[in-house]
Amino acid sequence: MTHITSILQEIRSFPPPTAFQSQAHIKSVEEYEALWEHAKAHPDLFWAEQAASVLTWDRPWQETLLNKGMESQWFVGGQLNASVNCLDRHLDTQGDKVALIAEGEPGEVRELTYRQLHREVCKVANALQSLGIQKGDVVSIYMPMVPELVIAVLACARLGVMHSVVFAGFSAEALRNRNEDAKAKLLITADGLYRRGAIVPLKETVDQSLRGVSSVKNVLVYRRTGAPIAMEPGRDLWWHDLVPSQSEVCVPVSVESEHPLFLLYTSGSTGKPKGIVHTTAGYLLGTALTHRYIFDLKPTDRYWCTADVGWITGHSYVIYGPLCNGTTVVLYEGAPNFPDWGRFWKIIEKHGVTQFYTAPTAIRSLMQQGDAWPAQYDLSSLRLLGTVGEPINPKAWLWFHEKIGKTRCPIVDTWWQTETGAIMIAPLPGAISTKPGCATRPFFGIVPDIVDRQGHSLGDNEGGLLVIRQPWPSMLRTIHGDHERFLDQYCKVIPGEVYFTGDGARRDSDGDYWILGRVDDVLNVAGHRLSTMEIESALVSHPSVAEAAVVGKPDEVRGEAICCFVTLKGDAIPGEELLKELKIHVVDQIGALARPEEIRFVQALPKTRSGKIMRRLLRDLAAGRQITGDVSTLEDLATLDTIRAASAEDDM
Ligand code: 7RM
């Protein structure tokens, strides 16, 4: 019953462009495979070699790996500091290199060199110390995508203080839950942020969230917009009152390898959010190494990852990986469509962006605006593109490849999770041929497998559960305050010491991995286990469809029936005719077994703020049930109401 029938067979394959390949760090499949085999056979040796060359240590470690199954400790006995690895060690060699190019939504640009960033981090770290914050404490950060967010994060790291960044789009309730669970002592925020030309009043939300929360003693407020806000005497402090007078010297706190670097909350499929805990050395090593090889980093690059720092992608690939590697990082505060849909392309042109890393959901909305937007800008600085967050449908992949990369840039489809800390499966762009919708091969030291519920390995092209067979340095160590939940969810689901990802996947005969989405999202139609993602991909390949979400609804005969929620492109007309056409289209693309029972046209799909469709909610709607469970991660509650209303109309 764990086999997943994979129905979409994508056969196109794109070898690395020759010009890219000849300058890449890893230039051939043979080179990749030799290194991967070495790392698999001698993980201790491989990771020790990498840790010694990639990181700067205060004290060397004694044991590379101590593990009991998937519970592991890395580089035991070693000491280091994460902010030193991201800043101090670059000062002698490239102190005047630009670390951050930060563009605010209104359009102003600020550049900070490594030396300037270091200075600011030291001052803020001293400010935190003056508030009594010390190693072992938790500081919560709720800020816009401005340099001060990066500075706050690294200031915590400098003191061995755990940061818990909460995405600035979250509600007061979500912020409160996270602060309570983390027992945060200090909250760093801003008066507001700019989004689609308007000011979002962050501080108001903060005030609301703090009512009744006892752990938070102080709130440090960065002035971003200048809009008037309330300050609570004795609790709230302005950044500009406290920080500028601080010393530019701050001795970093040297911490043990396994000292927790941060907490990051992620929504579970049900119930309360989980505080994922990452530690210092292993996490830094994983992010720096993957960033260097998968983005084929070069010293002159200007790298842009559009993810908000409130998500793991922002932690790993805006801050820690890139800064550890001494990269010039582009940071953008605002919306992709402000003042118009050309904004991203304009940023690429203006700053000469070389690598552009974003999410399929963003690519699809940019694609819908038409080719004229990217065509207006010079995108010739780009040499590599990346995607993350969900499977990318081939149509969006091909658009990205042709219209943005002009067929010249490899696309790295990077599969990983908050829990894995760093990218696990992705093509090395100079070595591995890419296929639209395929994450391809595991990174060095990562040993994935496809198994059934009993943990037996499945063969080529048999869809099943994606597991990781060996521990790796950047994996989560626990769930904050709930180690049992960590063991139950990740370590004990599948027999035989493996890490369970919760995703379904298939490995093809080339050894490439195709992610089929969350196992919870798999349908069972008349005994066929189908990936909802593949049916969605078939739907969006129809010219009238903008986005699609597919869920199962209980069906007496077939177990589950296929129910599709579809948003249409501007000019498409919803109605019986299109409905029929779409059903036929899916059958043509996939086969009769995937014929949708029901298609509902809706205005918008319920998504998390990082763009993942919340199918759990749609399943409830499809089955005519009340919505259950946590909706705190839902971006826009109103979408649910409009879908409900549309469904009610259908019922009449
Ligand atoms: C980095 C991130 C993790 C889940 C993961 C998958 C899905 C992420 C891809 C992907 C297919 C990809 N962390 N996912 N990347 N599915 N192809 N390249 O997104 O914790 O927020 O989400 O996202 O289901 O388990 S996350």
Side-chain angles (χ1 to χ4, degrees):
M1 283 313 282
T2 43
H3 293 239
I4 303 170
T5 311
S6 184
I7 40 193
L8 271 191
Q9 301 281 351
E10 173 62 56
I11 45 164
R12 286 165 287 202
S13 173
F14 296 78
T18 343
F20 188 96
Q21 186 163 38
S22 59
Q23 58 81 64
H25 288 306
I26 306 282
K27 296 182 176 61
S28 69
V29 185
E30 292 72 28
E31 205 181 328
Y32 157 77
E33 282 174 351
L35 252 167
W36 187 80
E37 291 293 346
H38 161 71
K40 181 185 175 198
H42 312 284
D44 292 34
L45 192 61
F46 171 78
W47 288 115
E49 288 160 358
Q50 298 304 323
S53 77
V54 173
L55 300 179
T56 297
W57 296 85
D58 298 329
R59 199 217 267 193
W61 66 93
Q62 279 102 48
E63 282 295 334
T64 302
L65 169 62
L66 281 180
N67 71 314
K68 192 169 98 231
M70 278 289 141
E71 290 180 271
S72 60
Q73 291 177 287
W74 290 86
F75 313 114
V76 179
Q79 283 190 0
L80 76 172
N81 178 280
S83 83
V84 168
N85 275 276
C86 291
L87 301 169
D88 304 50
R89 67 165 168 164
H90 303 311
L91 296 185
D92 284 345
T93 50
Q94 48 171 12
D96 297 321
K97 178 173 177 177
V98 174
L100 294 180
I101 302 175
E103 182 163 321
E105 194 186 72
E108 83 287 9
V109 176
R110 287 164 64 198
E111 292 192 353
L112 276 87
T113 63
Y114 272 91
R115 202 178 312 286
Q116 288 166 326
L117 187 59
H118 175 261
R119 199 177 297 150
E120 293 309 313
V121 167
C122 288
K123 285 177 161 184
V124 173
N126 285 327
L128 299 190
Q129 279 181 316
S130 78
L131 296 173
I133 301 296
Q134 53 185 358
K135 182 180 171 193
D137 290 341
V138 179
V139 167
S140 169
I141 301 178
Y142 186 69
M143 290 189 83
M145 284 281 285
V146 294
E148 284 68 22
L149 166 55
V150 179
I151 292 165
V153 163
L154 293 175
C156 290
R158 196 158 191 90
L159 302 177
V161 165
M162 264 193 275
H163 52 78
S164 165
V165 181
V166 179
F167 172 54
F170 273 134
S171 65
E173 194 51 32
L175 178 59
R176 181 205 313 261
N177 292 338
R178 287 157 175 74
N179 284 339
E180 270 178 347
D181 189 82
K183 298 191 181 61
K185 275 196 176 170
L186 171 73
L187 175 59
I188 308 181
T189 189
D191 54 352
L193 60 83
Y194 291 100
R195 187 84 188 167
R196 290 200 185 88
I199 289 179
V200 177
L202 275 193
K203 178 63 166 49
E204 261 174 43
T205 311
V206 164
D207 290 341
Q208 228 179 313
S209 79
L210 287 180
R211 279 180 212 133
V213 177
S214 56
S215 65
V216 177
K217 303 291 178 233
N218 290 109
V219 180
L220 183 60
V221 188
Y222 172 69
R223 179 178 277 160
R224 168 70 185 119
T225 68
I229 57 161
M231 294 288 281
E232 188 169 306
R235 186 194 70 182
D236 301 352
L237 298 141
W238 281 110
W239 178 294
H240 58 252
D241 286 339
L242 191 64
V243 175
S245 57
Q246 299 292 330
S247 160
E248 291 173 5
V249 180
C250 176
V251 179
V253 175
S254 187
V255 302
E256 316 78 71
S257 299
E258 284 291 314
H259 183 70
L261 179 61
F262 66 84
L263 262 176
L264 181 60
Y265 285 86
T266 169
S267 55
S269 49
T270 51
K272 76 175 211 217
K274 307 177 270 194
I276 303 295
V277 177
H278 280 289
T279 56
T280 306
Y283 173 81
L284 271 182
L285 177 60
T287 56
L289 199 66
T290 50
H291 182 252
R292 179 179 299 178
Y293 284 108
I294 294 167
F295 296 96
D296 194 51
L297 198 74
K298 299 289 151 61
T300 51
D301 282 337
R302 290 160 159 256
Y303 157 94
W304 184 23
C305 164
T306 65
D308 194 284
V309 170
W311 311 118
I312 189 68
T313 307
H315 282 63
S316 301
Y317 297 106
V318 174
I319 301 185
Y320 286 109
L323 296 182
C324 227
N325 289 328
T327 313
T328 297
V329 175
V330 174
L331 195 69
Y332 170 57
E333 175 187 31
N337 59 346
F338 185 84
D340 59 43
W341 282 101
R343 187 63 182 266
F344 274 13
W345 318 129
K346 192 175 178 182
I347 291 174
I348 291 172
E349 177 184 276
K350 184 164 165 190
H351 303 299
V353 170
T354 44
Q355 291 101 332
F356 178 57
Y357 186 32
T358 194
T361 177
I363 296 169
R364 281 192 300 271
S365 40
L366 291 159
M367 174 173 75
Q368 273 167 45
Q369 313 310 316
D371 302 346
W373 287 112
Q376 284 171 42
Y377 297 93
D378 177 5
L379 305 179
S380 61
S381 58
L382 288 173
R383 55 184 202 89
L384 177 140
L385 303 172
T387 71
V388 59
E390 47 174 329
I392 180 165
N393 51 302
K395 188 176 161 188
W397 193 100
L398 289 165
W399 181 83
F400 204 34
H401 175 66
E402 286 164 15
K403 297 298 186 293
I404 308 306
K406 319 279 177 180
T407 72
R408 179 189 75 238
C409 306
I411 298 181
V412 292
D413 177 342
T414 63
W415 177 84
W416 59 295
Q417 309 176 299
T418 305
E419 294 87 340
T420 67
I423 297 169
M424 307 297 278
I425 303 180
L428 288 179
I432 306 293
S433 293
T434 55
K435 302 169 183 173
C438 181
T440 73
R441 304 288 192 101
F443 192 69
F444 306 130
I446 305 304
V447 185
D449 198 5
I450 314 281
V451 301
D452 63 17
R453 283 269 164 209
Q454 285 69 48
H456 305 305
S457 297
L458 299 177
D460 285 356
N461 289 313
E462 289 188 294
L465 311 175
L466 179 62
V467 298
I468 314 282
R469 289 204 172 276
Q470 291 182 5
W472 66 98
S474 70
M475 72 184 291
L476 80 163
R477 296 299 190 268
T478 190
I479 293 173
H480 185 63
D482 202 348
H483 196 65
E484 277 308 304
R485 192 174 176 197
F486 160 73
L487 295 174
D488 289 345
Q489 288 203 341
Y490 304 107
C491 307
K492 291 185 184 165
V493 182
I494 309 293
E497 312 193 322
V498 296
Y499 168 84
F500 177 49
T501 65
D503 282 347
R506 148 177 91 87
R507 187 176 46 232
D508 69 17
S509 38
D510 299 331
D512 286 330
Y513 285 80
W514 297 76
I515 310 299
L516 299 169
R518 306 294 300 165
V519 178
D520 310 341
D521 295 339
V522 168
L523 301 180
N524 194 330
V525 182
H528 299 284
R529 288 172 56 85
L530 303 175
S531 148
T532 56
M533 182 273 289
E534 295 186 318
I535 304 170
E536 287 158 8
S537 185
L539 281 164
V540 296
S541 70
H542 187 281
S544 298
V545 175
E547 283 205 288
V550 170
V551 297
K553 69 178 209 176
D555 183 281
E556 277 186 13
V557 179
R558 288 166 295 176
E560 276 185 302
I562 297 172
C563 179
C564 315
F565 294 81
V566 167
T567 65
L568 296 178
K569 292 207 180 135
D571 48 353
I573 303 156
E576 279 304 315
E577 207 165 312
L578 183 56
L579 221 122
K580 265 195 217 130
E581 201 178 307
L582 288 180
K583 287 187 180 175
I584 293 168
H585 181 72
V586 173
V587 172
D588 283 349
Q589 294 274 305
I590 301 178
L593 80 166
R595 183 183 173 79
E597 159 90 8
E598 193 181 335
I599 295 179
R600 299 189 191 178
F601 297 121
V602 295
Q603 291 300 315
L605 299 173
K607 290 187 187 173
T608 65
R609 292 171 195 268
S610 61
K612 298 195 202 328
I613 297 168
M614 294 181 80
R615 291 192 186 71
R616 173 168 58 84
L617 306 183
L618 293 175
R619 271 195 296 274
D620 286 345
L621 285 174
R625 289 190 296 262
Q626 289 291 319
I627 303 274
T628 53
D630 179 29
V631 291
S632 71
T633 55
L634 184 64
E635 170 154 63
D636 179 7
L637 266 172
T639 55
L640 268 190
D641 295 332
T642 56
I643 296 172
R644 267 202 213 98
S647 311
E649 279 163 31
D650 292 349
D651 292 343
M652 288 193 305

Short mmCIF file of all heavy atoms in Angstrom, two decimals, residues 22 42 55 66 112 122 129 147 158 176 215 259 362 383 403 406 496 501 515 520 557 568 597 601-602 632:
data_model
loop_
_atom_site.label_atom_id
_atom_site.label_comp_id
_atom_site.label_asym_id
_atom_site.label_seq_id
_atom_site.Cartn_x
_atom_site.Cartn_y
_atom_site.Cartn_z
N SER A 22 32.44 24.18 -18.22
CA SER A 22 33.90 24.30 -18.25
C SER A 22 34.44 25.16 -17.11
O SER A 22 35.60 25.04 -16.75
CB SER A 22 34.35 24.86 -19.61
OG SER A 22 33.75 26.12 -19.79
N HIS A 42 32.91 6.58 3.64
CA HIS A 42 33.69 7.08 4.78
C HIS A 42 33.13 8.41 5.27
O HIS A 42 33.79 9.44 5.15
CB HIS A 42 35.16 7.28 4.38
CG HIS A 42 35.74 6.12 3.65
ND1 HIS A 42 36.11 4.96 4.28
CD2 HIS A 42 36.00 5.94 2.33
CE1 HIS A 42 36.58 4.11 3.38
NE2 HIS A 42 36.52 4.67 2.19
N LEU A 55 35.27 25.53 7.73
CA LEU A 55 34.99 26.35 8.92
C LEU A 55 36.26 26.80 9.64
O LEU A 55 37.31 26.17 9.53
CB LEU A 55 34.10 25.56 9.90
CG LEU A 55 32.75 25.11 9.36
CD1 LEU A 55 32.00 24.32 10.44
CD2 LEU A 55 31.90 26.29 8.90
N LEU A 66 29.23 11.13 16.81
CA LEU A 66 28.76 10.21 17.84
C LEU A 66 27.29 9.99 17.55
O LEU A 66 26.53 10.96 17.52
CB LEU A 66 28.88 10.86 19.23
CG LEU A 66 30.24 10.91 19.89
CD1 LEU A 66 30.13 11.59 21.25
CD2 LEU A 66 30.81 9.51 20.05
N LEU A 112 26.42 47.26 2.39
CA LEU A 112 27.27 47.10 3.57
C LEU A 112 28.42 46.16 3.22
O LEU A 112 28.18 45.05 2.72
CB LEU A 112 26.50 46.50 4.74
CG LEU A 112 25.70 47.46 5.61
CD1 LEU A 112 24.32 47.67 5.02
CD2 LEU A 112 25.58 46.93 7.03
N CYS A 122 28.68 43.70 15.96
CA CYS A 122 29.34 43.84 17.27
C CYS A 122 28.57 44.82 18.16
O CYS A 122 28.34 44.57 19.35
CB CYS A 122 30.78 44.33 17.11
SG CYS A 122 31.85 43.04 16.45
N GLN A 129 23.87 42.46 25.19
CA GLN A 129 24.50 42.17 26.49
C GLN A 129 24.10 43.20 27.54
O GLN A 129 23.87 42.86 28.69
CB GLN A 129 26.02 42.14 26.33
CG GLN A 129 26.49 40.80 25.79
CD GLN A 129 28.00 40.71 25.65
OE1 GLN A 129 28.65 41.65 25.18
NE2 GLN A 129 28.56 39.59 26.06
N PRO A 147 18.74 45.10 6.29
CA PRO A 147 20.02 44.65 6.85
C PRO A 147 19.97 44.42 8.36
O PRO A 147 20.65 43.52 8.87
CB PRO A 147 20.98 45.79 6.49
CG PRO A 147 20.41 46.39 5.27
CD PRO A 147 18.92 46.27 5.40
N ARG A 158 26.69 35.72 17.73
CA ARG A 158 27.96 36.14 18.32
C ARG A 158 28.02 35.85 19.82
O ARG A 158 29.08 35.62 20.40
CB ARG A 158 28.17 37.65 18.09
CG ARG A 158 29.60 38.07 18.33
CD ARG A 158 29.93 39.36 17.62
NE ARG A 158 31.35 39.62 17.65
CZ ARG A 158 32.21 39.21 16.73
NH1 ARG A 158 31.81 38.51 15.70
NH2 ARG A 158 33.50 39.49 16.84
N ARG A 176 2.69 35.14 19.34
CA ARG A 176 2.56 34.85 20.78
C ARG A 176 2.87 33.38 21.08
O ARG A 176 3.67 33.08 21.96
CB ARG A 176 1.14 35.16 21.26
CG ARG A 176 0.96 34.90 22.77
CD ARG A 176 -0.49 34.62 23.10
NE ARG A 176 -1.33 35.61 22.46
CZ ARG A 176 -1.83 36.69 23.06
NH1 ARG A 176 -1.63 36.88 24.32
NH2 ARG A 176 -2.56 37.54 22.40
N SER A 215 7.56 36.02 29.58
CA SER A 215 9.01 35.84 29.41
C SER A 215 9.68 37.06 28.76
O SER A 215 10.82 37.38 29.07
CB SER A 215 9.28 34.59 28.58
OG SER A 215 8.78 34.74 27.26
N HIS A 259 26.29 23.33 20.34
CA HIS A 259 25.50 24.39 20.98
C HIS A 259 24.40 24.83 20.01
O HIS A 259 24.65 25.06 18.84
CB HIS A 259 26.39 25.58 21.33
CG HIS A 259 25.67 26.67 22.06
ND1 HIS A 259 25.22 26.52 23.36
CD2 HIS A 259 25.27 27.90 21.67
CE1 HIS A 259 24.60 27.62 23.73
NE2 HIS A 259 24.60 28.47 22.73
N ALA A 362 6.27 31.55 -6.94
CA ALA A 362 6.64 32.86 -7.46
C ALA A 362 6.83 32.79 -8.98
O ALA A 362 6.37 33.67 -9.71
CB ALA A 362 7.91 33.36 -6.78
N ARG A 383 23.73 33.52 -14.39
CA ARG A 383 24.39 32.31 -14.90
C ARG A 383 23.81 31.02 -14.31
O ARG A 383 24.08 29.93 -14.77
CB ARG A 383 25.90 32.38 -14.73
CG ARG A 383 26.41 32.63 -13.35
CD ARG A 383 27.93 32.78 -13.36
NE ARG A 383 28.47 32.50 -12.04
CZ ARG A 383 28.82 31.29 -11.63
NH1 ARG A 383 28.75 30.27 -12.45
NH2 ARG A 383 29.26 31.10 -10.40
N LYS A 403 12.69 31.84 -20.71
CA LYS A 403 12.45 33.28 -20.67
C LYS A 403 13.36 34.01 -19.67
O LYS A 403 13.63 35.19 -19.82
CB LYS A 403 10.98 33.56 -20.32
CG LYS A 403 10.02 33.03 -21.38
CD LYS A 403 10.26 33.72 -22.71
CE LYS A 403 9.29 33.40 -23.81
NZ LYS A 403 9.26 32.06 -24.34
N LYS A 406 17.31 32.08 -20.52
CA LYS A 406 17.61 32.12 -21.96
C LYS A 406 18.37 30.86 -22.39
O LYS A 406 19.34 30.94 -23.15
CB LYS A 406 18.44 33.38 -22.31
CG LYS A 406 18.01 34.65 -21.62
CD LYS A 406 16.83 35.31 -22.28
CE LYS A 406 16.44 36.55 -21.45
NZ LYS A 406 15.33 37.29 -21.96
N GLY A 496 14.15 0.45 11.22
CA GLY A 496 15.55 0.41 10.75
C GLY A 496 16.07 1.81 10.70
O GLY A 496 15.72 2.57 9.88
N THR A 501 11.31 11.53 5.88
CA THR A 501 11.12 12.91 5.43
C THR A 501 9.66 13.34 5.39
O THR A 501 9.37 14.53 5.37
CB THR A 501 11.66 13.08 4.00
OG1 THR A 501 10.85 12.28 3.11
CG2 THR A 501 13.12 12.63 3.88
N ILE A 515 10.60 14.15 -6.55
CA ILE A 515 9.82 14.30 -5.32
C ILE A 515 8.34 14.35 -5.71
O ILE A 515 7.94 15.11 -6.60
CB ILE A 515 10.20 15.59 -4.58
CG1 ILE A 515 11.73 15.70 -4.41
CG2 ILE A 515 9.48 15.69 -3.24
CD1 ILE A 515 12.39 14.62 -3.61
N ASP A 520 1.20 12.74 3.04
CA ASP A 520 -0.18 13.05 3.44
C ASP A 520 -1.02 13.50 2.24
O ASP A 520 -2.23 13.50 2.30
CB ASP A 520 -0.24 14.21 4.44
CG ASP A 520 0.71 14.02 5.60
OD1 ASP A 520 1.12 12.87 5.81
OD2 ASP A 520 1.02 15.02 6.26
N VAL A 557 -17.05 3.85 -3.29
CA VAL A 557 -16.62 2.80 -4.20
C VAL A 557 -15.10 2.75 -4.36
O VAL A 557 -14.47 1.71 -4.23
CB VAL A 557 -17.29 2.98 -5.58
CG1 VAL A 557 -16.83 1.89 -6.54
CG2 VAL A 557 -18.80 2.98 -5.43
N LEU A 568 -8.27 30.32 -12.37
CA LEU A 568 -8.14 30.49 -13.82
C LEU A 568 -7.36 31.74 -14.17
O LEU A 568 -7.24 32.67 -13.39
CB LEU A 568 -9.54 30.59 -14.44
CG LEU A 568 -10.39 29.32 -14.30
CD1 LEU A 568 -11.77 29.56 -14.90
CD2 LEU A 568 -9.72 28.13 -14.97
N GLU A 597 -13.19 13.73 -10.35
CA GLU A 597 -14.59 13.57 -10.04
C GLU A 597 -15.25 14.95 -10.01
O GLU A 597 -16.36 15.14 -10.45
CB GLU A 597 -14.70 12.91 -8.65
CG GLU A 597 -16.00 13.10 -7.92
CD GLU A 597 -16.99 12.00 -8.25
OE1 GLU A 597 -16.57 11.02 -8.92
OE2 GLU A 597 -18.16 12.12 -7.84
N PHE A 601 -13.98 25.86 -9.46
CA PHE A 601 -13.26 27.08 -9.80
C PHE A 601 -13.28 28.02 -8.60
O PHE A 601 -14.34 28.29 -8.05
CB PHE A 601 -13.91 27.77 -11.01
CG PHE A 601 -13.85 26.93 -12.25
CD1 PHE A 601 -15.02 26.53 -12.91
CD2 PHE A 601 -12.63 26.51 -12.77
CE1 PHE A 601 -14.97 25.75 -14.05
CE2 PHE A 601 -12.57 25.73 -13.92
CZ PHE A 601 -13.74 25.35 -14.55
N VAL A 602 -12.11 28.48 -8.19
CA VAL A 602 -12.04 29.37 -7.02
C VAL A 602 -11.19 30.59 -7.35
O VAL A 602 -10.45 30.62 -8.34
CB VAL A 602 -11.45 28.64 -5.79
CG1 VAL A 602 -12.36 27.53 -5.34
CG2 VAL A 602 -10.05 28.09 -6.09
N SER A 632 -2.96 29.00 11.66
CA SER A 632 -2.13 30.19 11.93
C SER A 632 -1.13 30.47 10.82
O SER A 632 -0.62 31.56 10.70
CB SER A 632 -1.41 30.05 13.27
OG SER A 632 -0.40 29.08 13.16
#
